[in-house]
């Protein structure tokens, strides 16, 4: 049976939601620790201005009053902010009434319909940019309801399909802090793709879709190295850390001061564990590398041909990746989380960029330069997340050039229900691109489109202004020469 682990701070948050609003609802961000255990990372009530729930202080409100569109919007937005090792795993309801924890009440029928509506909305919203991760689609979710009247929690597993079904699920509030191990990776994007569209005006969003498909294909064929070595998929992260730490301890000279270094504790039967030395190097992140095969190895020999195209698309840059894992995660899980984080970050910034386009088309004669937003990281305040030790869990947001960290503060409040200090937001993980070499390869008649507001007519206007100025200078020179000659 599947088990959901929550911290005492989660219980306090559910109580707070019911006390402040009488009726609250929101999303559950979680982590799959192993095949049967999920760890709740964060609970975030919905702060959307919901037209259907005009007064959350109304005790009579029930699950049927929840706006599925508002909840699905929060779900999608939070998914973009989560690292690759975390996902939105379900929804919670917190109420002063006791019927939300009564399986025989009409609330459970309403909850099934709510899940079904949200799932359909999620499918429609994600279809425009294809497969979101490198793993199979999620079909099982968590429904968590809390009654302030009974001080009781009910937890159910919801399975999509056949109208939706609820099944039993265990839940436990634990006193021990969760332990997180951080892994980091810098993924280099440097590839050239052909533009197969032969029309004069090319759709930018379609070309970005091709980028996503290409990167996903490469990631699935890639190999992930930890600390510059290939690690067997079947062992868990805790065993790997213990093995590496043992090697490091053997290489250390014997100290005469009597100091000793403790290895990571052996696995226990329960989760979460007490924090140990965590990652290699006394809590430092584990560095990972995603190594891609030679490109021609991904194709059959018969697929390699010399062709001509009307244009090419070059993608270049660095995707900063951070994931947070349980010591009991297998190395195979860790590698999948890293790949998912790269792909999720790429898709998110492309979606954000395309949402701001006024015209998705550009002529194929132009040299078009796009600058999607860069990734910034922030930690959840201690009062806004489950208690934990080891690495501090971080989420991410995306900023365009010129945008201030206050944008992240507003997003975190609305989507994750947390208060952030702008000074604590890390904006250095991904640097801004250098504009000085942006157009080195262009010809005299090519046009560079600005990244944030693509306007082909702007370049044409500037070009005509240049010609007009040159003609004025020429006429002035002729006139001056004529005057001097007459004199």
């Amino acid at each position: 049976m599947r088990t959901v682990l929550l911290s005492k701070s989660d219980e306090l948050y559910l109580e707070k939601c019911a006390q402040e609003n009488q009726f609250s609802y929101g999303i559950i961000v979680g982590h799959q620790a192993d095949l049967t255990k999920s760890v709740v990372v964060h609970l975030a009530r919905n702060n959307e201005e919901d037209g259907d729930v005009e007064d959350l202080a109304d005790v009579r409100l029930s699950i049927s009053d929840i706006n599925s569109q508002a909840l699905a919007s929060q779900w999608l937005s939070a998914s973009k902010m989560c690292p690759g090792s975390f996902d939105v795993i379900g929804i919670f309801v917190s109420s002063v009434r006791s019927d939300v924890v009564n399986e025989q009440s009409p609330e459970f029928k309403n909850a099934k319909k709510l899940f079904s509506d949200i799932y359909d909305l999620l499918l429609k919203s994600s279809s425009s940019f294809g497969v979101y991760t490198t793993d199979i689609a999620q079909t099982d979710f968590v429904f968590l309801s809390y009654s302030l009247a009974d001080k009781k929690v009910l937890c159910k597993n919801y399975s999509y399909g056949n109208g939706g079904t609820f099944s039993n699920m265990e839940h436990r509030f634990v006193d021990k802090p969760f332990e997180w191990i951080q892994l980091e990776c810098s993924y280099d994007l440097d590839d050239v793709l052909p533009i197969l569209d032969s029309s004069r005006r090319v759709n930018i969003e379609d070309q970005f879709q091709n980028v996503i498909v290409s990167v996903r294909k490469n990631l699935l064929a890639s190999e992930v190295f930890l600390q510059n070595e290939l690690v067997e998929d079947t062992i868990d992260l805790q065993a790997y850390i213990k093995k590496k730490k043992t090697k490091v301890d053997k290489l250390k000279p014997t100290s005469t001061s009597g100091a000793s270094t403790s290895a990571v504790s052996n696995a226990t039967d329960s989760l979460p564990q007490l924090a140990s030395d965590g990652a290699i190097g006394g809590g430092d992140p584990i560095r990972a590398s995603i190594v891609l095969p030679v490109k021609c190895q991904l194709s059959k020999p018969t697929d390699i041909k010399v062709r001509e195209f009307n244009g090419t698309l070059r993608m270049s840059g660095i995707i900063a990746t951070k994931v947070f894992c349980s010591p009991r995660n297998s190395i195979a899980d860790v590698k999948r989380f890293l790949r998912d984080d790269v792909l999720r970050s790429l898709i998110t910034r492309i979606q954000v960029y395309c949402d701001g386009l006024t015209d998705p088309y550009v002529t194929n004669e132009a040299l078009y330069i796009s600058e999607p937003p860069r990734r910034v990281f922030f930690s959840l305040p201690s009062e806004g997340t489950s208690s934990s030790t080891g690495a501090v869990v971080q989420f991410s947001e995306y900023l365009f050039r010129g945008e201030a960290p206050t944008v992240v503060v507003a997003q975190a409040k609305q989507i994750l229900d947390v208060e952030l200090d702008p000074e604590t937001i890390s904006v250095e993980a991904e640097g801004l691109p250098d504009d000085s070499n942006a157009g080195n390869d262009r010809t005299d008649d090519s046009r560079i489109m600005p990244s944030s507001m693509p306007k082909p007519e702007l370049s044409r206007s500037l070009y005509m202004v240049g010609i007009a100025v040159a003609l004025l200078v020429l006429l002035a020179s002729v006139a001056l020469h004529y005057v001097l000659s007459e004199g």
Side-chain angles (χ1 to χ4, degrees):
M1 182 182 295
R2 188 178 173 190
T3 303
V4 173
L5 302 177
L6 304 98
S7 70
K8 289 296 182 181
S9 61
D10 294 325
E11 187 174 21
L12 294 175
Y13 183 78
L14 292 169
E15 183 178 349
K16 173 186 174 184
C17 289
Q19 289 175 338
E20 292 182 353
N21 292 332
Q22 309 298 314
F23 179 83
S24 292
Y25 62 94
I27 58 170
I28 306 171
V29 177
H31 167 77
Q32 195 67 29
D34 57 32
L35 293 176
T36 60
K37 290 186 177 67
S38 296
V39 177
V40 172
V41 179
H42 183 66
L43 300 174
R45 62 180 159 188
N46 189 281
N47 289 312
E48 294 273 354
E49 291 184 3
D50 190 344
D52 290 344
V53 185
E54 296 180 356
D55 185 8
L56 291 176
D58 191 342
V59 180
R60 296 168 297 175
L61 291 175
S62 66
I63 295 176
S64 61
D65 297 308
I66 296 176
N67 186 336
S68 58
Q69 183 66 60
L71 199 51
S73 177
Q74 183 190 15
W75 188 309
L76 285 170
S77 298
S79 297
K80 297 172 183 177
M81 303 172 83
C82 291
S85 51
F86 299 160
D87 290 291
V88 179
I89 62 173
I91 61 176
F92 75 87
V93 173
S94 180
S95 174
V96 294
R97 294 164 48 175
S98 59
D99 56 350
V100 295
V101 293
N102 181 1
E103 295 186 49
Q104 309 304 320
S105 72
E107 288 291 76
F108 270 75
K109 290 183 179 180
N110 296 332
K112 287 182 182 180
K113 184 180 185 305
L114 177 64
F115 265 111
S116 180
D117 292 343
I118 290 175
Y119 193 85
D120 291 339
L121 289 170
L122 295 177
L123 288 179
K124 291 178 182 178
S125 300
S126 61
S127 60
S128 59
F129 281 93
V131 181
Y132 198 69
T133 65
T134 58
D135 196 14
I136 58 175
Q138 184 181 1
T139 56
D140 287 332
F141 303 95
V142 178
F143 174 67
L144 184 71
S145 55
Y146 173 81
S147 167
L148 184 62
D150 300 339
K151 298 286 186 178
K152 181 180 177 182
V153 172
L154 186 65
C155 192
K156 289 289 183 178
N157 182 84
Y158 174 82
S159 297
Y160 183 78
N162 297 324
T165 58
F166 276 127
S167 58
N168 291 331
M169 171 183 283
E170 291 185 358
H171 73 277
R172 295 207 308 271
F173 288 98
V174 294
D175 295 320
K176 296 179 181 179
F178 300 138
E179 179 183 1
W180 300 109
I181 298 171
Q182 180 177 339
L183 293 95
E184 292 185 353
C185 175
S186 295
Y187 183 82
D188 292 330
L189 278 175
D190 190 4
D191 201 358
V192 178
L193 298 177
I195 297 178
L196 303 177
D197 191 344
S198 60
S199 58
R200 185 176 180 275
R201 283 170 58 80
V202 178
N203 188 296
I204 304 168
E205 295 183 7
D206 290 345
Q207 303 312 312
F208 280 142
Q209 174 71 57
N210 294 335
V211 170
I212 294 170
V213 172
S214 175
V215 172
R216 182 177 186 274
K217 180 180 179 182
N218 289 340
L219 286 171
L220 289 172
S222 68
E223 184 52 75
V224 179
F225 289 76
L226 303 182
Q227 303 288 122
N228 295 323
E229 67 177 2
L230 185 62
V231 184
E232 185 181 350
D233 287 357
T234 55
I235 68 173
D236 60 36
L237 188 55
Q238 183 175 243
Y240 164 72
I241 292 174
K242 182 177 181 180
K243 181 179 179 182
K244 289 290 293 184
K245 192 167 177 23
T246 301
K247 287 183 179 179
V248 172
D249 290 342
K250 287 182 179 180
L251 293 175
K252 288 182 180 179
T254 303
S255 173
T256 57
S257 63
S260 61
T261 304
S262 60
V264 177
S265 61
N266 292 329
T268 60
D269 293 334
S270 62
L271 276 172
Q273 304 174 24
L274 283 173
S276 56
D277 286 339
I280 301 167
D284 295 331
I286 298 176
R287 291 295 303 174
S289 304
I290 299 178
V291 180
L292 303 181
V294 179
K295 195 169 184 179
C296 63
Q297 291 180 351
L298 298 178
S299 305
K300 299 177 182 178
T302 55
D303 293 337
I304 302 175
K305 299 177 182 178
V306 178
R307 299 175 181 174
E308 292 186 3
F309 302 99
N310 293 331
T312 57
L313 187 151
R314 181 183 179 187
M315 44 186 176
S316 178
I318 296 176
I319 296 178
T321 293
K322 293 182 183 181
V323 298
F324 301 85
C325 301
S326 161
R328 298 290 289 274
N329 282 135
S330 69
I331 296 299
D333 287 336
V334 172
K335 293 178 179 180
R336 175 169 54 84
F337 293 152
L338 287 165
R339 294 187 182 103
D340 279 353
D341 193 74
V342 170
L343 193 61
R344 179 180 295 179
S345 179
L346 176 65
I347 294 175
T348 297
R349 66 186 79 203
I350 285 177
Q351 286 179 324
V352 172
Y353 177 81
C354 289
D355 287 343
L357 292 176
T358 55
D359 182 3
Y361 290 91
V362 61
T363 58
N364 57 18
E365 297 94 347
L367 176 61
Y368 182 83
I369 298 177
S370 302
E371 185 185 322
R374 60 190 172 121
R375 192 178 199 181
V376 299
F377 294 91
F378 61 90
S379 303
L380 297 184
S382 57
E383 68 272 11
T385 185
S386 303
S387 57
S388 61
T389 58
V392 178
V393 167
Q394 290 184 312
F395 286 65
S396 59
E397 187 52 283
Y398 297 85
L399 294 179
F400 283 101
R401 183 191 294 269
E403 284 189 319
T406 50
V407 175
V408 180
V409 175
Q411 287 291 94
K413 175 59 180 175
Q414 180 175 354
I415 298 168
L416 298 178
D417 193 31
V418 294
E419 301 281 353
L420 294 181
D421 181 354
E423 298 296 327
T424 62
I425 298 169
S426 174
V427 298
E428 305 299 329
E430 295 180 351
L432 290 171
D434 185 6
D435 291 336
S436 60
N437 298 320
N440 282 351
D441 298 330
R442 73 181 187 272
T443 58
D444 291 339
D445 61 346
S446 61
R447 299 181 290 279
I448 298 181
M449 306 300 170
S451 62
S452 58
M453 296 178 65
K455 295 181 179 178
E457 68 278 5
L458 180 61
S459 295
R460 189 179 301 113
S461 299
L462 291 175
Y463 183 69
M464 297 304 295
V465 169
I467 293 177
V469 171
L471 287 174
L472 287 174
V473 172
L474 178 60
L475 291 173
S477 300
V478 171
L480 182 62
H481 177 73
Y482 177 78
V483 170
L484 292 176
S485 299
E486 288 294 326

